[in-house]
Amino acid sequence: MNPSSHLEVTVGEIGEKAVIAEIVGAAPSTRNGDDAAVLSHASPNSRTVATTDMLIEGRHFRRDWSTPEEVGKKAITANFADIEAMGARPISALLALAAPPDLPVEFLRRLAMGIDESVSEFAAELVGGDVTQSERLVVSVAAIGELGGNRPALTLDRARAGQKVVANGLIGHSAAGYALLERFGRAGVPEHLDPLVEAHCAPTLSAGRGVVARSAGVTSMTDNSDGLVVDLGAIARASQVGIDLEKDAIAPGPLLIEAGELLDVDPWSWVLSGGEDHTLLATTSGPAPSGFRTIGKVTRSREVTVAGEKPAHVTGWESF
Amino acid sequence: MNPSSHLEVTVGEIGEKAVIAEIVGAAPSTRNGDDAAVLSHASPNSRTVATTDMLIEGRHFRRDWSTPEEVGKKAITANFADIEAMGARPISALLALAAPPDLPVEFLRRLAMGIDESVSEFAAELVGGDVTQSERLVVSVAAIGELGGNRPALTLDRARAGQKVVANGLIGHSAAGYALLERFGRAGVPEHLDPLVEAHCAPTLSAGRGVVARSAGVTSMTDNSDGLVVDLGAIARASQVGIDLEKDAIAPGPLLIEAGELLDVDPWSWVLSGGEDHTLLATTSGPAPSGFRTIGKVTRSREVTVAGEKPAHVTGWESF
């Protein structure tokens, strides 16, 4: 079978069993194939951490914007970021996939390859799933992590006034990439702004940073999924504190500034209210953990501010 | 707010936060509300079991056929049956829900109430989720269970010739219910055939039967989700054995016979190839475990047969 004829084979033509075989072939695990997957715990004194995040075609990704691999990677990053944000180690992912019958098998295989590449970075596996039919592609992933030892998980409610706010990863890049895609489409975005587009289509996460942060004594943690102000606001609310961000530490970098000029958009809006970067955001009494930088401090104000001022852009991602 | 005006409020009107509050209010858990849920292990020497199963409106349920509670219950049963089929105890569920903006809030709340009722039967909880927007309602659940002790999980591959095949629960009722709904709609089905319709809209599962079966020394187990012949065929293939079913033990009962006459359908087709009953099917060298009945025996033939004959109806559920 040559690649071009191969592209035209659809999931409807090969049927459910072959679809599952394609996914399992691209993202293999010895734990897959039974009614459910059995996961051993590496450390005897451990807890299980679980989360789920769903991507819908046309809402979280578009097939003309993202490669299939990127869709798979984004689904894993969105889930594993929530596991890392508890200070836990992602060990497994489950994939519930709904696909239109005319979806090319090649798309499905590449999506599974993207999942495999992402989970492999974490030494995790795709251990099970479900496949069904729908008009729009739906990629629903659930992730399971392991939290070793007796220390508490890194919840939202332990930030205390006087602590530092630290971050690991990009802020605002995904939203800028989305804005560029909306205006230019994937092919039309100026090449040197590609990193922004990639940050949207396949945000990355540095494996193990959550565990590092927990070891370093971080007090609370979340990830930047709904927008910086909204996500830090969740920590502030749960911890009954405020957060003041350092303007210089979060100021838009050259790429964001250039994209802002090109689109006539204030790049601060992407920094403050863009989400989907999946950057880890944490609070700590100690120095910033390895890989993290300081971006602000915890206050008693009960508000999220930038250099003491109410931020200009506060609206985050809303599903409805 | 009176109940009738309440019915007209949609999820699009109340927004994401209020939608989440409705779900969490109807299916509460102290583990919910952070980036991910932290689950302790009841027994120190345990493993985690994980699975996922997705229901799509129009494919796995219809809003004019099922109550919202039934949709929630079906989603939990489909998932927890896979956990029980490993011999494990379901402890948690995650819900990724995609809903059209015009979905009534009341539907959502009742769906969550159905989930809560189902998980409560298992002393389990809805511990987290994700909410997003789509044209069609998508209910994607992932379930996590705990497998205590050192014995192996009940996989598909340990059936041995000479063992009994045992079952707990109804066989063919869900498929008969579906056929009745297709012909008559929910309101038009003769009242005394309601149990068949209920078996389709909200199949039930006897909590803890999987753990009982594992304690009793059952060798392999699965659930009847794709059809009796298909699901037992999965055990036969994985174990490199055959299975011969006793005709009398699986023969259609009075309800199936009557539905068959009404619809001019051979009720054996529902018994042999209807799925979605989520009845536990197992093999054992000992007596049938508590709550299970014997329906056949494991053979050396490498085929699934009924009284030694090739079954008349073998096609199970196929997603594409």
Side-chain angles (χ1 to χ4, degrees), chain A residues 124-140:
Chain A
E125 294 173 303
L126 183 70
V127 297
D130 185 29
V131 171
T132 187
Q133 195 185 121
S134 66
E135 284 149 48
R136 293 250 189 155
L137 191 57
V138 179
V139 182
S140 185

PDB file of all heavy atoms in Angstrom, chain A residues 124-140:
ATOM      1  N   ALA A 124       5.367   7.240  30.930  1.00  0.00           N
ATOM      2  CA  ALA A 124       3.999   6.768  31.176  1.00  0.00           C
ATOM      3  C   ALA A 124       3.515   5.981  29.954  1.00  0.00           C
ATOM      4  O   ALA A 124       4.250   5.855  28.960  1.00  0.00           O
ATOM      5  CB  ALA A 124       3.081   7.958  31.452  1.00  0.00           C
ATOM      6  N   GLU A 125       2.316   5.446  30.012  1.00  0.00           N
ATOM      7  CA  GLU A 125       1.791   4.633  28.921  1.00  0.00           C
ATOM      8  C   GLU A 125       0.313   4.924  28.671  1.00  0.00           C
ATOM      9  O   GLU A 125      -0.411   5.284  29.602  1.00  0.00           O
ATOM     10  CB  GLU A 125       1.873   3.137  29.278  1.00  0.00           C
ATOM     11  CG  GLU A 125       3.246   2.572  29.428  1.00  0.00           C
ATOM     12  CD  GLU A 125       3.175   1.128  29.939  1.00  0.00           C
ATOM     13  OE1 GLU A 125       2.583   0.930  31.014  1.00  0.00           O
ATOM     14  OE2 GLU A 125       3.677   0.240  29.259  1.00  0.00           O
ATOM     15  N   LEU A 126      -0.123   4.705  27.433  1.00  0.00           N
ATOM     16  CA  LEU A 126      -1.558   4.673  27.125  1.00  0.00           C
ATOM     17  C   LEU A 126      -2.034   3.258  27.448  1.00  0.00           C
ATOM     18  O   LEU A 126      -1.655   2.300  26.764  1.00  0.00           O
ATOM     19  CB  LEU A 126      -1.800   4.993  25.648  1.00  0.00           C
ATOM     20  CG  LEU A 126      -3.279   5.046  25.241  1.00  0.00           C
ATOM     21  CD1 LEU A 126      -3.980   6.254  25.843  1.00  0.00           C
ATOM     22  CD2 LEU A 126      -3.425   5.065  23.722  1.00  0.00           C
ATOM     23  N   VAL A 127      -2.835   3.120  28.505  1.00  0.00           N
ATOM     24  CA  VAL A 127      -3.133   1.770  29.019  1.00  0.00           C
ATOM     25  C   VAL A 127      -4.523   1.262  28.658  1.00  0.00           C
ATOM     26  O   VAL A 127      -4.852   0.106  28.950  1.00  0.00           O
ATOM     27  CB  VAL A 127      -2.951   1.705  30.552  1.00  0.00           C
ATOM     28  CG1 VAL A 127      -1.502   1.986  30.939  1.00  0.00           C
ATOM     29  CG2 VAL A 127      -3.911   2.639  31.266  1.00  0.00           C
ATOM     30  N   GLY A 128      -5.355   2.097  28.044  1.00  0.00           N
ATOM     31  CA  GLY A 128      -6.687   1.603  27.705  1.00  0.00           C
ATOM     32  C   GLY A 128      -7.492   2.683  27.036  1.00  0.00           C
ATOM     33  O   GLY A 128      -7.024   3.814  26.868  1.00  0.00           O
ATOM     34  N   GLY A 129      -8.721   2.326  26.640  1.00  0.00           N
ATOM     35  CA  GLY A 129      -9.540   3.324  25.986  1.00  0.00           C
ATOM     36  C   GLY A 129     -10.852   2.781  25.489  1.00  0.00           C
ATOM     37  O   GLY A 129     -11.246   1.659  25.785  1.00  0.00           O
ATOM     38  N   ASP A 130     -11.496   3.626  24.714  1.00  0.00           N
ATOM     39  CA  ASP A 130     -12.788   3.288  24.137  1.00  0.00           C
ATOM     40  C   ASP A 130     -12.855   4.003  22.795  1.00  0.00           C
ATOM     41  O   ASP A 130     -12.333   5.113  22.653  1.00  0.00           O
ATOM     42  CB  ASP A 130     -13.908   3.781  25.063  1.00  0.00           C
ATOM     43  CG  ASP A 130     -15.291   3.359  24.584  1.00  0.00           C
ATOM     44  OD1 ASP A 130     -15.400   2.308  23.928  1.00  0.00           O
ATOM     45  OD2 ASP A 130     -16.262   4.080  24.868  1.00  0.00           O
ATOM     46  N   VAL A 131     -13.471   3.349  21.818  1.00  0.00           N
ATOM     47  CA  VAL A 131     -13.580   3.948  20.493  1.00  0.00           C
ATOM     48  C   VAL A 131     -15.035   3.931  20.077  1.00  0.00           C
ATOM     49  O   VAL A 131     -15.702   2.906  20.193  1.00  0.00           O
ATOM     50  CB  VAL A 131     -12.745   3.142  19.465  1.00  0.00           C
ATOM     51  CG1 VAL A 131     -13.037   3.625  18.064  1.00  0.00           C
ATOM     52  CG2 VAL A 131     -11.267   3.280  19.776  1.00  0.00           C
ATOM     53  N   THR A 132     -15.529   5.074  19.629  1.00  0.00           N
ATOM     54  CA  THR A 132     -16.909   5.100  19.170  1.00  0.00           C
ATOM     55  C   THR A 132     -17.049   6.106  18.033  1.00  0.00           C
ATOM     56  O   THR A 132     -16.076   6.719  17.614  1.00  0.00           O
ATOM     57  CB  THR A 132     -17.867   5.395  20.338  1.00  0.00           C
ATOM     58  OG1 THR A 132     -19.207   5.243  19.891  1.00  0.00           O
ATOM     59  CG2 THR A 132     -17.676   6.802  20.869  1.00  0.00           C
ATOM     60  N   GLN A 133     -18.274   6.223  17.529  1.00  0.00           N
ATOM     61  CA  GLN A 133     -18.491   7.055  16.360  1.00  0.00           C
ATOM     62  C   GLN A 133     -19.205   8.347  16.728  1.00  0.00           C
ATOM     63  O   GLN A 133     -20.073   8.353  17.596  1.00  0.00           O
ATOM     64  CB  GLN A 133     -19.369   6.256  15.381  1.00  0.00           C
ATOM     65  CG  GLN A 133     -19.377   6.825  13.994  1.00  0.00           C
ATOM     66  CD  GLN A 133     -20.353   6.083  13.078  1.00  0.00           C
ATOM     67  OE1 GLN A 133     -21.265   6.677  12.533  1.00  0.00           O
ATOM     68  NE2 GLN A 133     -20.157   4.785  12.921  1.00  0.00           N
ATOM     69  N   SER A 134     -18.817   9.442  16.088  1.00  0.00           N
ATOM     70  CA  SER A 134     -19.547  10.702  16.251  1.00  0.00           C
ATOM     71  C   SER A 134     -19.318  11.552  15.020  1.00  0.00           C
ATOM     72  O   SER A 134     -18.481  11.242  14.182  1.00  0.00           O
ATOM     73  CB  SER A 134     -19.053  11.458  17.485  1.00  0.00           C
ATOM     74  OG  SER A 134     -17.723  11.866  17.281  1.00  0.00           O
ATOM     75  N   GLU A 135     -20.090  12.636  14.896  1.00  0.00           N
ATOM     76  CA  GLU A 135     -19.909  13.504  13.724  1.00  0.00           C
ATOM     77  C   GLU A 135     -18.589  14.270  13.814  1.00  0.00           C
ATOM     78  O   GLU A 135     -17.899  14.432  12.823  1.00  0.00           O
ATOM     79  CB  GLU A 135     -21.076  14.489  13.638  1.00  0.00           C
ATOM     80  CG  GLU A 135     -22.346  13.826  13.117  1.00  0.00           C
ATOM     81  CD  GLU A 135     -23.590  14.460  13.699  1.00  0.00           C
ATOM     82  OE1 GLU A 135     -23.695  15.691  13.695  1.00  0.00           O
ATOM     83  OE2 GLU A 135     -24.461  13.696  14.183  1.00  0.00           O
ATOM     84  N   ARG A 136     -18.291  14.759  15.029  1.00  0.00           N
ATOM     85  CA  ARG A 136     -17.061  15.519  15.247  1.00  0.00           C
ATOM     86  C   ARG A 136     -16.077  14.668  16.029  1.00  0.00           C
ATOM     87  O   ARG A 136     -16.472  13.875  16.886  1.00  0.00           O
ATOM     88  CB  ARG A 136     -17.363  16.739  16.112  1.00  0.00           C
ATOM     89  CG  ARG A 136     -18.229  17.726  15.410  1.00  0.00           C
ATOM     90  CD  ARG A 136     -17.420  18.952  15.079  1.00  0.00           C
ATOM     91  NE  ARG A 136     -18.310  19.983  14.591  1.00  0.00           N
ATOM     92  CZ  ARG A 136     -18.042  21.264  14.653  1.00  0.00           C
ATOM     93  NH1 ARG A 136     -16.906  21.665  15.203  1.00  0.00           N
ATOM     94  NH2 ARG A 136     -18.882  22.135  14.177  1.00  0.00           N
ATOM     95  N   LEU A 137     -14.820  14.895  15.775  1.00  0.00           N
ATOM     96  CA  LEU A 137     -13.776  14.190  16.503  1.00  0.00           C
ATOM     97  C   LEU A 137     -13.750  14.668  17.957  1.00  0.00           C
ATOM     98  O   LEU A 137     -13.702  15.870  18.217  1.00  0.00           O
ATOM     99  CB  LEU A 137     -12.448  14.476  15.808  1.00  0.00           C
ATOM    100  CG  LEU A 137     -11.221  13.670  16.206  1.00  0.00           C
ATOM    101  CD1 LEU A 137     -11.449  12.176  16.031  1.00  0.00           C
ATOM    102  CD2 LEU A 137     -10.028  14.113  15.353  1.00  0.00           C
ATOM    103  N   VAL A 138     -13.801  13.736  18.878  1.00  0.00           N
ATOM    104  CA  VAL A 138     -13.716  14.027  20.312  1.00  0.00           C
ATOM    105  C   VAL A 138     -12.568  13.199  20.884  1.00  0.00           C
ATOM    106  O   VAL A 138     -12.522  11.981  20.696  1.00  0.00           O
ATOM    107  CB  VAL A 138     -15.023  13.653  21.052  1.00  0.00           C
ATOM    108  CG1 VAL A 138     -14.895  13.942  22.548  1.00  0.00           C
ATOM    109  CG2 VAL A 138     -16.222  14.386  20.465  1.00  0.00           C
ATOM    110  N   VAL A 139     -11.646  13.858  21.538  1.00  0.00           N
ATOM    111  CA  VAL A 139     -10.488  13.186  22.133  1.00  0.00           C
ATOM    112  C   VAL A 139     -10.566  13.409  23.642  1.00  0.00           C
ATOM    113  O   VAL A 139     -10.220  14.481  24.136  1.00  0.00           O
ATOM    114  CB  VAL A 139      -9.165  13.756  21.574  1.00  0.00           C
ATOM    115  CG1 VAL A 139      -7.970  13.008  22.162  1.00  0.00           C
ATOM    116  CG2 VAL A 139      -9.145  13.688  20.044  1.00  0.00           C
ATOM    117  N   SER A 140     -11.068  12.407  24.345  1.00  0.00           N
ATOM    118  CA  SER A 140     -11.232  12.533  25.786  1.00  0.00           C
ATOM    119  C   SER A 140     -10.176  11.672  26.467  1.00  0.00           C
ATOM    120  O   SER A 140     -10.128  10.467  26.266  1.00  0.00           O
ATOM    121  CB  SER A 140     -12.640  12.065  26.171  1.00  0.00           C
ATOM    122  OG  SER A 140     -12.875  12.286  27.538  1.00  0.00           O
TER     123      SER A 140
END
